[in-house]
Amino acid sequence: MTVNTLPSADLDLEVLLAHKETIADGVVRLAFRHPAGDRLPPWAPGAHVDLLLRPDLVRQYSLCGDPRDRSVLEVAVLREHSGRGGSAFVHDTLLPGDRVRIRGPRNNFPFVRAERYLFVAGGIGITPLLPMVAAADATGADWRLLYGGRSHSSMAFAARLREEYGDRVVLWPRDRAGLPDVPGMLGAAAAGTAVYCCGPEPLLAVAEEVCAGLPHLELHLERFSPKEITGVAAGFDVELVRSGLTLTVPADRSILEVAEDAGVPVLSSCREGTCGTCETPVLGGLPDHRDSLLTDEEKAAGETMMICVSRSCGRKLVLDL
């Protein structure tokens, strides 16, 4: 199923940080409300928002609250000690009462209806799965959750999940049980099971490898970090139809960077092909897709591309930009 992930320019507003609390080792939960008490934008399980923490610091976080509650948007943020500064800002600088601009919600990880689900979470990857678990349970679907983490104390929402759903939730702290048995859980899943997986790259790689040999399962992934980019970069030209410009993209620069230098307004966030903010329609040419977001079918169709990392297979691309 192809999902339109193109951003809407009007989904940009200022929100108030109403609540901040530590919910696990290195994890804080943030609750944002409208400063005037208005209803916030609707969203569905799997959606994320961009937090514009500073002009030079934009980060994406999955919504983990209740989509039916339009009074609040909730995210949970893991402190990334080797990160680029976003999580440190959230943990150390952002305080209740502060106002933050958000973009979105945007959904690159849509929840599909199915009779059976297997949810596989690693660490902070539990966040987009929380509303999916609630939605699956509300429909009476057959579902299970495998949730792995460094230790029990590091696993956000673990106690709540066990309390609400009992033995449908399998908690797998690595310090006690080793690596989670993802192959075993996937191998035991019945035909037609929708598998939703989010977490660190090694976990996703295992899920992809196992599901490649289990065609009766429907795998859905969300990455917080990009796949390794392969392929030799070469220069090419890009025609930006709406801007009336043709620009040269050298081998060591991205389409996004060249467009920004030319004064073309482009929404962007992660700049590593994982968030979908810079997704742009392709009008001509063949993209060299290097993102971690589009499905194989979407890449083959070549209708859109992530201009922060993807390039051109030929000498010229034509974009609706």
Side-chain angles (χ1 to χ4, degrees), residues 230-252:
T230 60
V232 177
F236 57 94
D237 292 333
V238 59
E239 180 182 350
L240 309 181
V241 173
R242 284 191 285 118
S243 301
L245 297 172
T246 297
L247 306 172
T248 296
V249 181
D252 61 346

Side-chain angles (χ1 to χ4, degrees), residues 235-301:
F236 57 94
D237 292 333
V238 59
E239 180 182 350
L240 309 181
V241 173
R242 284 191 285 118
S243 301
L245 297 172
T246 297
L247 306 172
T248 296
V249 181
D252 61 346
R253 306 203 70 204
S254 68
I255 299 172
L256 175 63
E257 291 170 331
V258 170
E260 288 178 331
D261 285 352
V264 178
V266 186
L267 288 179
S268 67
S269 185
C270 74
R271 294 178 178 258
E272 56 186 17
T274 60
C275 75
T277 305
C278 70
E279 187 175 5
T280 301
V282 178
L283 303 179
L286 183 63
D288 175 12
H289 294 289
R290 301 186 177 197
D291 65 273
S292 304
L293 188 61
L294 294 176
T295 66
D296 290 342
E297 292 78 10
E298 290 167 336
K299 290 178 179 179

Side-chain angles (χ1 to χ4, degrees), residues 8 19 36 45 68 102 163-164 180 222 267 293:
S8 300
H19 183 75
R68 297 169 299 180
I102 66 168
E163 181 180 348
E164 292 186 10
E222 181 165 66
L267 288 179
L293 188 61

Side-chain angles (χ1 to χ4, degrees), residues 61-280:
Y61 298 109
S62 297
L63 293 170
C64 59
D66 183 350
R68 297 169 299 180
D69 186 355
R70 297 279 301 279
S71 70
V72 63
L73 294 174
E74 296 182 26
V75 301
V77 181
L78 170 69
R79 181 189 288 274
E80 298 278 4
H81 294 286
S82 60
R84 296 173 294 148
S87 68
F89 184 94
V90 168
H91 278 254
D92 299 336
T93 304
L94 204 58
L95 297 173
D98 288 346
R99 297 192 179 200
V100 180
R101 294 206 67 80
I102 66 168
R103 286 200 301 250
R106 183 179 295 106
N107 201 333
N108 305 318
F109 193 39
F111 181 62
V112 300
R113 293 296 298 269
E115 293 183 6
R116 290 174 293 277
Y117 297 92
L118 175 58
F119 301 103
V120 181
I124 200 62
I126 189 62
T127 51
L129 302 185
L130 282 175
M132 294 187 184
V133 166
D137 195 67
T139 64
D142 180 14
W143 66 269
R144 293 194 79 190
L145 166 66
L146 173 61
Y147 179 13
R150 185 179 68 255
S151 63
H152 194 277
S153 63
S154 73
M155 297 168 66
F157 307 106
R160 190 184 94 184
L161 284 163
R162 284 304 298 268
E163 181 180 348
E164 292 186 10
Y165 302 116
D167 60 7
R168 286 194 175 194
V169 176
V170 178
L171 301 180
W172 204 295
R174 190 169 65 249
D175 62 346
R176 299 180 186 177
L179 295 175
D181 185 16
V182 176
M185 292 285 285
L186 290 171
T193 298
V195 179
Y196 278 85
C197 185
C198 185
E201 184 58 34
L203 176 75
L204 304 187
V206 169
E208 285 186 309
E209 181 180 354
V210 174
C211 285
L214 300 172
H216 60 281
L217 303 182
E218 181 183 339
L219 179 61
H220 305 264
L221 298 177
E222 181 165 66
R223 284 183 160 84
F224 290 150
S225 58
K227 285 184 176 180
E228 182 180 355
I229 295 176
T230 60
V232 177
F236 57 94
D237 292 333
V238 59
E239 180 182 350
L240 309 181
V241 173
R242 284 191 285 118
S243 301
L245 297 172
T246 297
L247 306 172
T248 296
V249 181
D252 61 346
R253 306 203 70 204
S254 68
I255 299 172
L256 175 63
E257 291 170 331
V258 170
E260 288 178 331
D261 285 352
V264 178
V266 186
L267 288 179
S268 67
S269 185
C270 74
R271 294 178 178 258
E272 56 186 17
T274 60
C275 75
T277 305
C278 70
E279 187 175 5
T280 301

